[in-house]
Amino acid sequence: MSGFGGVLPWARRTLVERDKILTSEEFSAILGVCQIVPGPNIMNLAVCIGSRFGGARGALAATLGLSLGPIAIVLCLAFLYEHYSYLESVKGLLRGISAVGVGLIASTGFKMMRDEFRYPAMFLVVVLTMIAATVFHLGLGYVVLLVAPIAIFLARKKAQSL
Amino acid sequence: MSILLSLFLKLSAFSLVAFGGVNALLPVLFNLAVHQEHWIDVQTFSDYFAIAQAAPGPNFMTVTLIGWHVYGVLGALLATLAIAWPSSIMIYFLQRFIMRMKNPLSKQTIQYAAAALAIGLVLSSAFEIALQINHSLAAYILTIGTIAITVLTRWHPLYLIAMGGALGVLGFI
């Protein structure tokens, strides 16, 4: 519920630093697995951590706990939007927030990029993915099919060299 | 009823290809919701995106709001379920398999490869969505400023969202 700007940093702080349910390495490993699989990363994380402590029921409890509160809040906001979206100030407000929001998404990408400096050849994968997606507008399936072999090849080299 | 079914099926399929999370695939969601299915228009999409960013909680709430627009509260719940169930079931079974992978080298390889792919997708996503929702030079400056501040400092994103909202209300964006 207090996960403004994404839940991930908050999840890490609570689970690793405060409650010490997981060690930092375990958290990173689980997160790594969750990012391989498609779908909302944070939901995947909830499934992984929930199922670790309570099997399928734990997974269900974790995902529901994570999403029900925020859904209620966002629906209240949607209700307000319905009534006040004609106001010039509300339009401006949303324009400002969405401009920041898209910047926040881009900066997630840039922050994740820091790890690639340890093995700069991986930047090739990043650049190829971007070219395939934005210049040639290939569908996601084709992007993955095209880039995955190179990504796996380079990732293997990276894993061996570090 | 058929629109609910199509909402559920299309979003479930979307979830299955959403490598790198929902934000990495916002352009795909945009195409699906605006151009293919005509669930919402461009302006509503970018407004919902803003609301989802400003609200607390997971950042796939844009999907919840699209569901709400299509079929009220039921649509919102169904859309959220649709986006979450395929990958949740997949990860539930896959995590044991991957966590138990004996060879640390192949595990690292998969993680590095997936991370690089995800970075490419997230950056492309931000680029394409910026083209759709930013309509003025000031908006692009705000986006680029946000990237600079978050990469260089440790400011909480909420301050930036509040700042962007304030600039918008004052009519700058």
Side-chain angles (χ1 to χ4, degrees):
Chain A
M1 286 283 277
S2 50
F4 283 102
V7 182
L8 225 47
W10 167 85
R12 189 195 174 84
R13 209 172 308 147
T14 313
L15 293 170
V16 179
E17 288 162 26
R18 203 192 66 199
D19 295 346
K20 298 193 169 54
I21 292 175
L22 297 166
T23 68
S24 175
E25 288 77 30
E26 278 176 317
F27 186 86
S28 298
I30 292 178
L31 187 61
V33 173
C34 292
Q35 281 167 340
I36 297 171
V37 179
N41 288 339
I42 190 68
M43 283 302 219
N44 292 344
L45 191 70
V47 172
C48 288
I49 294 175
S51 66
R52 226 178 137 102
F53 296 101
R57 263 192 262 171
L60 193 65
T63 46
L64 285 181
L66 189 75
S67 53
L68 285 184
I71 289 177
I73 293 178
V74 94
L75 288 183
C76 292
L77 291 176
F79 190 73
L80 288 175
Y81 169 80
E82 190 94 314
H83 288 270
Y84 297 104
S85 62
Y86 66 91
L87 292 173
E88 218 28 72
S89 57
V90 172
K91 286 182 189 164
L93 176 76
L94 293 173
R95 275 200 299 274
I97 293 173
S98 59
V100 169
V102 74
L104 290 177
I105 293 177
S107 54
T108 325
F110 284 116
K111 281 182 186 167
M112 286 165 71
M113 224 188 225
R114 280 178 191 155
D115 188 63
E116 307 306 331
F117 284 104
R118 298 198 296 153
Y119 190 79
M122 286 303 274
F123 279 113
L124 185 64
V125 177
V126 176
V127 172
L128 279 179
T129 310
M130 290 187 71
I131 292 175
T134 59
V135 181
F136 293 105
H137 291 283
L138 295 182
L140 181 80
Y142 292 106
V143 175
V144 173
L145 277 181
L146 203 73
V147 180
I150 309 165
I152 290 170
F153 174 75
L154 286 174
R156 181 134 195 114
K157 296 232 159 214
K158 180 181 178 182
Q160 280 165 345
S161 74
L162 293 176
Chain B
M1 196 62 210
S2 71
I3 192 166
L4 268 183
L5 191 67
S6 127
L7 184 78
F8 185 77
L9 292 179
K10 296 269 158 66
L11 288 175
S12 299
F14 170 73
S15 170
L16 276 176
V17 296
F19 286 98
V22 173
N23 279 343
L25 283 186
L26 277 175
V28 179
L29 183 67
F30 179 86
N31 252 324
L32 177 70
V34 177
H35 295 313
Q36 286 175 30
E37 299 296 320
H38 304 286
W39 287 329
I40 53 175
D41 60 26
V42 179
Q43 189 54 50
T44 315
F45 184 92
S46 74
D47 289 347
Y48 283 172
F49 170 72
I51 296 174
Q53 290 294 317
N59 47 21
F60 56 80
M61 288 292 164
T62 317
V63 174
T64 309
L65 289 169
I66 292 173
W68 181 75
H69 189 93
V70 171
Y71 213 89
V73 175
L74 187 59
L77 292 176
L78 209 64
T80 316
L81 180 67
I83 195 77
W85 78 267
S87 56
S88 297
I89 289 177
M90 201 150 100
I91 188 86
Y92 182 76
F93 291 105
L94 257 182
Q95 59 153 335
R96 287 153 211 238
F97 174 72
I98 299 176
M99 294 301 262
R100 274 187 208 144
M101 244 160 117
K102 284 284 183 294
N103 186 349
L105 194 64
S106 10
K107 208 154 123 183
Q108 278 294 348
T109 301
I110 295 178
Q111 280 181 13
Y112 287 149
L117 207 65
I119 295 169
L121 288 174
V122 166
L123 292 179
S124 323
S125 164
F127 178 74
E128 300 226 324
I129 287 299
L131 294 182
Q132 297 293 346
I133 63 175
N134 285 349
H135 300 295
S136 64
L137 183 62
Y140 282 103
I141 294 174
L142 185 55
T143 301
I144 291 167
T146 302
I147 298 172
I149 291 173
T150 39
V151 171
L152 299 175
T153 71
R154 304 196 55 170
W155 286 18
H156 196 283
L158 195 57
Y159 294 131
L160 292 164
I161 287 175
M163 194 182 75
L167 286 172
V169 171
L170 295 173
F172 287 114
I173 306 303

